[in-house]
Amino acid sequence: MSIQTFKKLLVTGGAGFIGSNFIHFVLATRPVSVINLDCLSYSGNLENLSAIEADERYRFVHGDINDRQLLEDLLKECDAVVHFAAESHVDRSIIDARPFVKSNVMGTQTLLDALRSSGQDKRLVHVSTDEVYGSLPLDKPELKFHEESPIKPNSPYAASKAASDLLVQSYHETFGLDALITRCSNNFGAYQFPEKVIPLFVTNLLEGKKVPLYGDGKNVRDWLHVLDHCEAILTVLEKGQSGEVYNIGGNNERSNLELTQAILQIMGQGPEMIEYVADRLGHDRRYAIDAEKIKRELGWEPTRSSWPEALEETVQWYVDNQDWWRHVKSGAYRDYYQLQYGQRLTTH
Ligand SMILES: NC(=O)c1ccc[n+]([C@@H]2O[C@H](COP(=O)([O-])OP(=O)(O)OC[C@H]3O[C@@H](n4cnc5c(N)ncnc54)[C@H](O)[C@@H]3O)[C@@H](O)[C@H]2O)c1
C-alpha cells in the first residue's frame, strides 16, 4: 500500500462540527498547511478554530463552494481537497430542501468542475454519510450497510448527499478525477451544533429544559467519535484507492432512547426530563455500518468510541465549554467573524 503525503489541503466547510475537528487534528498530526473555505452558514462557527487562528499553517477564506473562480484560485495553491461543506441537518431538509440541493449537489458539482479544470493531479476526499443507504429494519440485526449496498436515500438531506456521491463517482469514471468517497455513521464530540441530538439534549438539561425525543425512541444509530472519523478520513486521503468508497462506523449501535437514558444518567437527571414528541417525517429506523473494508484494506478502526466513557467525555466537554454553546444558542457566535476579520456577516 503506498502512502501519499500532502503539503497544502483545501478543506471545505472547515468551520462546521467535523471540519473544524479535522483541521485541529490534521494540524496537530501532520506537517501540512490548510486553507479553510467556508461560507459561514448558520452552522459555521469560527470560534471552533480560535485556538489555531494564529498558526501560520492555517488560513480562513470566507466563500461559497458554488464560486468556481474562487475555487480555481485556491486550488492553484493546494494538492488535495477534503470536502465537508454541506447542509447537514435532516430536519431542516424536511422544512426546505432547496439549500441542500444548492450546497450539497450544485456546490459539489462546482467543486468537481474546478478540480477538473485545475488538472488531474489533485486528490479529493468527498465526506458523505451512511444515510445515503436508506434504512434497515430493527428486527434484522444481522443486516448492515456495506459499500455495495444500494443507494436508497429517504430524506431530502440524504438524497442530496447521494446525488453528490454519484456526481463524484461519475467525474472519477468520466474524467479520471482522483476522487474517493467516505460514508460515515453518526458522529459525536466537541463543537457539534446544538441542534443535533447529543449537544441539544445536554445543553437543554444544563438550561433546566426537557429533552425532545422523537416517536417511540426506538430508532437506532451507530455512534462514532468525531476524532475517529477525522483519523479515518485522513487514512483514506493518504492510503485510499482512487475511485473507491469506504464505509466508516463505530460498531456502536444505540437506540435513541438508550442514548437519552445514558445522557440523563451521566447528568444525574431522571426520565421525567424526557418529552416524547411527534416523530420526524420519514424517520429512518436503523443505520448500521459494516466498516470491514477500511479496516482490512487501510488498517483503520475506531479507538476513541468506547461507550459510555466516550459519551461521558463529550457530555463533560459541553459542561466545561458553556461559553461556546451559549454563544451559539444566543447567536453571539455570528459576531466573531466581524471581531476577528473586520467584516459583517451579511448572508445566511
Ligand atoms: N455530523 C455527522 O454525524 C455526519 C456523519 C456523516 C457524514 N457527515 C457529513 O460531514 C460533513 C460535515 O458535517 P457536519 O456535521 O460538520 O456539518 P455542519 O453543518 O456542522 O458543518 C457544515 C459546514 O459547511 C459550511 N457550508 C455549508 N454550505 C456551504 C457552502 N455552500 N460553501 C461553503 N461552506 C458551506 C457551513 O458553514 C458549515 O461550516 C457533511 O458533508 C455531512 O454530510 C456528517
Side-chain angles (χ1 to χ4, degrees):
M1 183 195 332
S2 66
I3 300 181
Q4 300 197 38
T5 54
F6 300 93
K7 291 198 183 83
K8 196 180 251 189
L9 303 180
L10 176 61
V11 173
T12 71
F17 164 47
I18 308 175
S20 60
N21 274 286
F22 180 80
I23 292 174
H24 282 288
F25 185 74
V26 78
L27 289 178
T29 57
R30 299 291 188 276
V32 289
S33 300
V34 169
I35 298 177
N36 171 16
L37 173 65
D38 199 297
C39 72
L40 299 181
S41 75
Y42 78 92
S43 68
N45 183 355
L46 288 177
E47 289 193 24
N48 300 1
L49 295 154
S50 56
I52 49 118
E53 221 154 49
D55 189 326
E56 56 190 25
R57 294 179 299 146
Y58 170 73
R59 176 152 68 97
F60 172 66
V61 175
H62 184 211
D64 198 301
I65 52 166
N66 281 293
D67 184 341
R68 179 162 169 179
Q69 187 58 56
L70 175 61
L71 283 169
E72 285 182 11
D73 290 344
L74 296 176
L75 283 170
K76 285 183 191 137
E77 299 176 48
C78 299
D79 44 19
V81 182
V82 184
H83 178 36
F84 295 96
E87 290 291 330
S88 67
H89 192 40
V90 174
D91 289 349
R92 287 179 187 256
S93 79
I94 293 168
I95 295 165
D96 182 7
R98 186 167 272 271
F100 289 72
V101 173
K102 191 168 175 240
S103 285
N104 304 3
V105 185
M106 294 169 68
T108 300
Q109 178 242 315
T110 309
L111 173 61
L112 291 165
D113 281 337
L115 275 161
R116 244 188 93 198
S117 50
S118 63
Q120 301 297 316
D121 57 331
K122 298 179 203 302
R123 174 157 273 214
L124 167 70
V125 175
H126 173 63
V127 179
S128 192
T129 165
D130 60 357
E131 300 191 30
V132 301
Y133 296 122
S135 184
L136 293 167
L138 288 181
D139 60 357
K140 292 202 172 119
E142 71 283 6
L143 292 185
K144 292 193 175 204
F145 299 130
H146 50 85
E147 286 81 356
E148 306 305 324
S149 298
I151 302 293
K152 286 175 71 179
N154 291 320
S155 71
Y157 161 68
S160 69
K161 292 297 291 187
S164 66
D165 286 17
L166 298 179
L167 281 167
V168 171
Q169 279 173 333
S170 76
Y171 275 62
H172 170 77
E173 290 299 329
T174 309
F175 305 111
L177 222 68
D178 182 9
L180 306 91
I181 296 172
T182 59
R183 295 194 182 126
C184 187
S185 58
N186 281 47
N187 284 210
F188 66 99
Y191 302 120
Q192 189 165 29
F193 200 83
E195 65 184 352
K196 305 277 170 66
V197 61
I198 293 178
L200 176 71
F201 282 17
V202 174
T203 60
N204 271 13
L205 291 169
L206 288 168
E207 291 178 311
K209 295 184 194 156
K210 293 192 174 194
V211 298
L213 184 59
Y214 279 136
D216 59 9
K218 288 188 182 156
N219 304 59
V220 168
R221 301 293 181 260
D222 172 6
W223 288 97
L224 180 77
H225 194 279
V226 65
L227 292 178
D228 277 332
H229 187 191
C230 292
E231 190 178 64
I233 291 167
L234 200 50
T235 303
V236 170
L237 176 70
E238 293 177 337
K239 301 185 191 166
Q241 280 282 334
S242 191
E244 290 294 311
V245 174
Y246 295 94
N247 279 353
I248 301 169
N251 215 5
N252 183 28
E253 288 180 54
R254 309 283 159 188
S255 74
N256 287 346
L257 181 59
E258 198 183 340
L259 170 70
T260 305
Q261 286 166 338
I263 292 172
L264 288 171
Q265 195 188 359
I266 292 167
M267 298 191 66
Q269 307 260 357
E272 69 283 358
M273 295 308 283
I274 300 178
E275 183 184 1
Y276 288 89
V277 295
D279 207 357
R280 169 188 278 169
L281 295 176
H283 203 176
D284 285 340
R285 225 30 186 156
R286 173 173 166 253
Y287 303 137
I289 274 281
D290 176 341
E292 276 307 304
K293 176 177 172 181
I294 187 171
K295 182 178 172 187
R296 188 179 61 247
E297 294 185 8
L298 309 183
W300 175 88
E301 59 184 322
T303 57
R304 303 168 181 83
S305 301
S306 66
W307 205 260
E309 296 81 2
L311 179 66
E312 270 168 35
E313 237 178 67
T314 294
V315 169
Q316 194 59 43
W317 189 87
Y318 290 95
V319 172
D320 293 341
N321 290 275
Q322 301 216 14
D323 281 354
W324 180 86
W325 61 262
R326 286 186 193 279
H327 286 180
V328 177
K329 283 198 165 181
S330 71
Y333 74 112
R334 304 289 291 166
D335 300 334
Y336 188 83
Y337 177 64
Q338 186 175 11
L339 287 172
Q340 287 299 318
Y341 295 88
Q343 289 165 34
R344 273 197 79 69
L345 278 179
T346 50
T347 52
H348 304 281

